[in-house]
Structure formats: structure tokens, C-alpha cells
Amino acid sequence: MEYTVQKLGRLAGVSSRTLRYYDEIGILKPARINSSGYRIYGQKEVDRLQQILFYRELGVDLNRIKEMVTSPTFDAGEALREHHEKLLDKRKQLDKLIANVEKTMAWQEGRIEMKDQEKFAGFKRQLIEENEKKYGKEVREKYGEETVNKSNRKLMNMSQAEYEEGTRLAEALSDVLAEAFRTGDPAGELAQKAAALHKQWLMFYWDDYSPEAHAGLAQMYVDDERFTAHYDKNQPGTAEFLRDAIHIYTGINK
């Protein structure tokens, strides 16, 4: 069966504008253009759109999706198995959050007692699991099992006030780093303030501090594309700038 842009959009629950954009960036080309100039999509394109939407639901950015689905070695069956596994993981996370919300509701209604630490346990556990999935292998190889486990335990034992302060520091770091980046000087006052804030933020998660570990983490921000994408999401080059600022701050060049 074949579909026009509008029909495929209605079928998949996406806008015609989205499909045209996918065509423009080369992630989903129509099978052909008919004599009236309309894009026409066939079964192959429908299947690819399904894959794209699966990845989008899992939070993968379009550039990475394009690399995967246009690769000659792309395996649709393996991709589906991967989607299934990730969705099951996501369901587990949601189940834990739902359980935490239900427990909080019961506490608010006076049916149970709930410690402050319990109120945030679900959210902190989800954060740990997300970090493990994204970066766990690399971080454990670099810093060791015990170091990472200690960091996770420290997060789980955080009080509400500590958790909120860590979040506030992360936001302050982001603001100062953006301002420092505009100066172009990683040795400047603003950049060094950003490096100091980064150290303060780290100590909410690390048991011990060393300049070598701090500098090594900064280098990982550049070496690992996932970290780079996080810091470069608003301004490309930010990860390298932060790395340079931290290396100057610690006096250690990797």
C-alpha cells in the first residue's frame, strides 16, 4: 500500500511538516514523487518511520537515528529487540515511580508514615539507573566498581536539602559556564569560577576529591560523544572549553 504525506502522517500520528523535514534531512525519503509532485511512501518507508518513532520515543536525537537507520549494516530485527528491551527497562522505572507516588499519596492522606528520605528515593533511584545505562560501563572502567558504588550510595542517602542544593549548583554551573564560554578564555575569572562550581557539584556525588580524577572526568566529557552532546547542546565547543578550564583549575593536563 502507498501513502501520501498527509495519509502517512495520519496513520503514524505525526504532522506532514515533520515528514517533509525528515525528507529534507535525508532520514526518511519518499519512495517516489508522482506526476503531480506529491511524495509517495511505500511499505519500506512505513517500516523505517516506525523505527524512527521508536528511537524518538526513547530520546535518541535525529542525527544519531539517521546514522543508525541509514547504515548498510542496520538490522531491523535486532533494532526491534533493542527497542523491546529498552521499553521494558523504561516500564520498570515507571513502575518504581508510580509506587513512590502512590506511597506519597497514602502518606498525604494520613494512611501511612513516610520519611523524607523515602519521598525522594524513587527519583534518586531512577537517576542512578539512567546514569548506569548511559555511562556506567565507561565510568566503572575508569574509576572502579567501588568508587561508583560509593557515589550511588551517597546519592541515595542524600537529604532533600542536599539534593536541592546539588540541583541548584548544577544550574549555577550551567549559567556561569555559558557566560564564560562567550569570553573564549578558559583561564579567565568566569571560566575558573565554572571549574570551581563543577568541583562543588561533584562533591555531592564523590566521597573523595583528587585533581587527577577531576581532570580525568573533564577529559571524558570530550572523549565520550554522549557527554559532549550534553554540554554542547546549546553551544558547540562547550565541553572542550570546560575541559580546558578544569585542566587549568587542577593544574593537570591530560
Side-chain angles (χ1 to χ4, degrees):
M1 187 170 182
E2 292 187 329
Y3 301 88
T4 62
V5 166
Q6 289 186 340
K7 287 183 179 179
L8 181 57
R10 285 196 296 268
L11 176 70
V14 298
S15 68
S16 299
R17 181 179 180 181
T18 295
L19 292 176
R20 293 189 184 97
Y21 178 66
Y22 286 174
D23 182 8
E24 289 172 11
I25 64 174
I27 194 173
L28 181 66
K29 291 285 187 181
R32 62 187 177 86
I33 305 295
N34 68 12
S35 57
S36 300
Y38 290 103
R39 294 173 174 87
I40 302 297
Y41 298 85
Q43 190 59 55
K44 179 181 176 182
E45 289 71 40
V46 171
D47 292 344
R48 172 169 289 188
L49 178 58
Q50 182 192 37
Q51 296 291 343
I52 292 168
L53 295 180
F54 273 143
Y55 281 119
R56 291 297 285 162
E57 180 66 24
L58 293 169
V60 182
D61 69 73
L62 282 175
N63 288 333
R64 179 61 182 143
I65 296 172
K66 181 179 177 181
E67 289 177 11
M68 291 187 289
V69 300
T70 60
S71 169
T73 59
F74 179 71
D75 185 330
E78 179 60 30
L80 277 174
R81 286 187 287 275
E82 180 184 334
H83 293 321
H84 183 252
E85 182 179 340
K86 289 184 177 180
L87 287 170
L88 288 175
D89 287 340
K90 193 172 182 179
R91 184 170 70 182
K92 288 178 184 176
Q93 293 172 12
L94 287 173
D95 285 343
K96 289 175 182 177
L97 282 175
I98 289 169
N100 186 261
V101 169
E102 289 175 344
K103 192 171 184 179
T104 304
M105 289 167 61
W107 166 75
Q108 289 178 336
E109 293 166 2
R111 292 186 281 118
I112 63 169
E113 291 293 325
M114 190 176 188
K115 297 178 181 178
D116 287 343
Q117 194 171 351
E118 290 181 281
K119 298 172 189 176
F120 297 93
F123 298 103
K124 291 185 288 188
R125 189 177 294 109
Q126 183 185 29
L127 178 60
I128 289 171
E129 290 178 357
E130 288 176 351
N131 285 337
E132 285 286 353
K133 287 187 180 71
K134 288 181 180 178
Y135 317 116
K137 182 176 181 291
E138 292 80 1
V139 173
R140 287 177 182 277
E141 287 176 354
K142 188 173 183 65
Y143 296 107
E145 293 286 335
E146 184 57 28
T147 298
V148 176
N149 290 339
K150 282 183 179 179
S151 176
N152 289 342
R153 286 195 295 270
K154 189 169 184 178
L155 174 57
M156 285 304 299
N157 289 327
M158 273 187 194
S159 67
Q160 178 184 352
E162 290 171 330
Y163 188 81
E164 290 176 351
E165 177 62 13
T167 301
R168 186 197 65 76
L169 267 175
E171 293 171 352
L173 167 62
S174 180
D175 292 341
V176 172
L177 181 58
E179 191 176 351
F181 183 82
R182 288 193 286 271
T183 71
D185 182 10
E189 182 179 351
L190 278 173
Q192 290 305 292
K193 181 180 178 181
L197 284 170
H198 189 267
K199 175 185 174 180
Q200 291 178 47
W201 172 76
L202 279 178
M203 295 317 297
F204 277 85
Y205 305 95
W206 285 9
D207 267 353
D208 303 298
Y209 175 82
S210 77
E212 293 81 7
H214 194 184
L217 181 62
Q219 185 62 49
M220 187 185 294
Y221 290 164
V222 175
D223 294 340
D224 191 308
E225 63 181 12
R226 294 164 300 175
F227 284 105
T228 304
H230 171 74
Y231 282 101
D232 284 11
K233 61 184 177 182
N234 293 323
Q235 181 61 58
T238 301
E240 288 189 5
F241 182 85
L242 178 59
R243 185 267 320 267
D244 293 344
I246 291 172
H247 282 185
I248 293 168
Y249 178 82
T250 59
I252 295 171
N253 290 316
K254 291 287 180 176

